[in-house]
Amino acid sequence: MSVDTLCKIWALKLVTFQADISSLLKKSKRLAEQLNNTTINMENSQSLTQDKLRLHELMVHLTEELQRHRDEASAKKRLHEWQKSLDRMRAKIRKISHTLGEVGLVDMAAIDKLCDTEDYSQPHYEVLSQELQRCEALRHDNLSILIDRVWSQIYLWFNMTLQHSDMKHCKQDCASVELLELLEQKVIDLQAFYHDHSDIFQLYSKRDELWTRMAELDHLAGEPARYRNRGGQLLREEKERNYIQSKLPEIEAKLGELVRHFEESEGRQFTVFNVEIIHKITMDWEEYNLTKTNETQRRKQSMFQTTTPRLTRGSSTTSSLASNGKTPQRAKSGKLLARGLSSNCSTSSSLLSDRKPPQRNKCG
């Protein structure tokens, strides 16, 4: 049997012992009433008197014992309340000093040393009280700085939890301790919400990272100099694109399961910047597919506009030749034929010029 077990048994016995004392005292009082109502005669006078005396002594003893236990219980309760009051003071000092420490107004090491001291004496209570008053005065004197600091934390956690801020930054003249505590509680709530559903936020962050990279790869695919030799970069991009296209559906399916579980347990939708997260993913894909379709159409239109001027220039040449009554092929043949005829004519002329006319016979 361990020491803890013995202590528990003793505590239980004390409780039952006090209950037993109360029960005995009640029975003693009832017996005293009976003895007082008993008729006294010569035979029972002496014994009855002795019984009453002994019963009175017993009742006095039980009453004193019961009061002693009650006093002990009351003292323990007061001691417990005293210790709790010091612990609450330590917790308040830690909370205020944490806010002050973020802007460098207190020495957190000294604060931790003071609050970690397990001393419940009156002198230590006075030390804690003085430190609490000092921290509260520092907080009051630097409310504007502290509130601005908390607002920056609120904006950070709004981004972490993928929410739009529905809170308005107050003016400097609105600064108060109540506002500061309200904003600090908002930060605590946002942090708790993020940590309770960190699996959803981490998956969505991974999905957003892959989605952004997929858009970058699509942009690289449209560069004019893409097919120049880049040391295997095209192959690496293609492998990365295939990985993303296979990984995105897995992440989105897992996100769908987690979001459905959240909606069933919380009774509300899980939103991303005020849009239901599954609907947001669906809209992303619709916009992506529409963008791809428009790019394909623009590419086809650009190719058509590039080839049209060539056809136009060819048509003008054909038209000019056609105006002379010749097709391009016929015109070329006509030129060759004319060139050949001219050559033949010149050759024939030269042959004719060398030939002498026939001599006629002279008649006398």
Side-chain angles (χ1 to χ4, degrees):
M1 185 175 295
S2 64
V3 176
D4 292 338
T5 304
L6 291 175
C7 291
K8 290 179 180 178
I9 293 175
W10 171 243
L12 182 61
K13 291 293 184 180
L14 287 176
V15 175
T16 57
F17 181 61
Q18 185 174 349
D20 293 340
I21 292 175
S22 298
S23 178
L24 287 173
L25 187 58
K26 290 179 181 179
K27 291 178 180 180
S28 299
K29 290 179 179 180
R30 285 197 297 268
L31 181 57
E33 291 177 359
Q34 293 176 4
L35 292 177
N36 290 331
N37 295 328
T38 302
T39 303
I40 302 174
N41 52 39
M42 295 299 295
E43 297 178 355
N44 62 4
S45 175
Q46 186 176 0
S47 61
L48 186 61
T49 302
Q50 292 178 353
D51 289 342
K52 287 183 178 182
L53 181 59
R54 291 172 59 194
L55 183 59
H56 178 72
E57 293 176 353
L58 177 61
M59 291 174 62
V60 170
H61 176 71
L62 292 174
T63 303
E64 291 176 350
E65 191 66 23
L66 184 61
Q67 186 62 42
R68 186 178 66 83
H69 279 276
R70 288 176 178 174
D71 291 343
E72 289 180 356
S74 178
K76 288 181 180 180
K77 185 177 180 180
R78 288 195 302 271
L79 178 61
H80 182 65
E81 290 298 329
W82 169 263
Q83 293 174 347
K84 285 177 62 176
S85 65
L86 267 70
D87 290 338
R88 286 193 296 267
M89 195 178 299
R90 290 187 179 96
K92 195 169 184 179
I93 292 173
R94 286 185 186 275
K95 180 180 178 181
I96 298 176
S97 62
H98 176 74
T99 304
L100 297 172
E102 290 182 345
V103 292
L105 294 176
V106 294
D107 183 4
M108 290 303 301
I111 295 293
D112 291 338
K113 183 178 180 180
L114 174 65
C115 294
D116 290 340
T117 303
E118 294 184 0
D119 187 353
Y120 295 95
S121 63
Q122 182 67 33
H124 192 69
Y125 171 84
E126 294 176 357
V127 172
L128 291 175
S129 179
Q130 292 174 2
E131 183 62 25
L132 178 59
Q133 292 176 9
R134 187 181 75 89
C135 291
E136 288 176 340
L138 281 173
R139 181 178 63 177
H140 184 271
D141 295 339
N142 298 274
L143 274 176
S144 298
I145 298 175
L146 297 176
I147 288 177
D148 289 340
R149 172 71 177 179
V150 178
W151 269 115
S152 64
Q153 294 177 347
I154 288 177
Y155 293 140
L156 171 65
W157 284 103
F158 267 129
N159 290 330
M160 292 288 291
T161 54
L162 308 176
Q163 299 181 43
H164 286 306
S165 175
D166 55 354
M167 303 176 66
K168 295 182 179 180
H169 199 144
C170 67
K171 299 179 180 179
Q172 294 295 332
D173 54 359
C174 298
S176 64
V177 174
E178 292 75 13
L179 176 61
L180 177 61
E181 292 178 348
L182 178 64
L183 296 177
E184 288 175 341
Q185 184 59 46
K186 184 64 177 179
V187 173
I188 294 173
D189 294 341
L190 289 171
Q191 291 174 340
F193 181 71
Y194 178 84
H195 292 303
D196 290 343
H197 309 288
S198 59
D199 47 358
I200 296 179
F201 291 116
Q202 290 173 2
L203 268 180
Y204 188 84
S205 176
K206 180 63 177 178
R207 188 256 178 194
D208 188 58
E209 178 183 345
L210 293 177
W211 187 268
T212 302
R213 181 54 182 166
M214 183 174 67
E216 293 175 355
L217 292 174
D218 289 342
H219 177 72
L220 292 175
E223 291 183 355
R226 171 174 173 75
Y227 294 102
R228 294 178 182 176
N229 184 13
R230 292 189 289 170
Q233 181 65 24
L234 294 178
L235 181 59
R236 287 193 293 271
E237 291 178 5
E238 187 63 25
K239 289 181 178 180
E240 188 176 5
R241 185 180 292 104
N242 293 335
Y243 169 78
I244 293 175
Q245 291 176 351
S246 64
K247 196 69 177 177
L248 273 177
E250 297 179 6
I251 294 177
E252 292 171 354
K254 182 63 176 177
L255 267 175
E257 295 178 3
L258 295 175
V259 169
R260 281 191 295 271
H261 178 72
F262 170 86
E263 293 175 348
E264 291 174 358
S265 60
E266 300 291 333
R268 59 190 178 95
Q269 292 182 336
F270 193 98
T271 58
V272 174
F273 299 113
N274 298 335
V275 179
E276 197 273 325
I277 186 170
I278 302 301
H279 181 61
K280 174 70 167 57
I281 293 175
T282 303
M283 289 194 304
D284 286 346
W285 279 111
E286 290 178 355
E287 183 179 356
Y288 175 80
N289 293 329
L290 179 61
T291 302
K292 296 290 287 184
T293 302
N294 292 337
E295 288 179 356
T296 302
Q297 292 177 352
R298 285 196 298 268
R299 193 178 299 112
K300 290 181 179 180
Q301 186 176 3
S302 177
M303 293 175 61
F304 176 76
Q305 291 176 352
T306 303
T307 56
T308 300
R310 298 177 182 177
L311 296 175
T312 304
R313 287 194 298 270
S315 299
S316 62
T317 305
T318 304
S319 300
S320 63
L321 291 173
S323 64
N324 295 329
K326 299 178 182 180
T327 62
Q329 291 82 1
R330 291 176 182 177
K332 185 176 181 180
S333 300
K335 291 179 180 180
L336 293 174
L337 181 60
R339 198 178 296 119
L341 290 175
S342 176
S343 175
N344 290 336
C345 291
S346 60
T347 305
S348 299
S349 300
S350 62
L351 290 174
L352 290 174
S353 62
D354 294 338
R355 184 178 297 176
K356 295 179 180 181
Q359 298 291 330
R360 293 182 177 181
N361 295 324
K362 295 182 179 181
C363 295

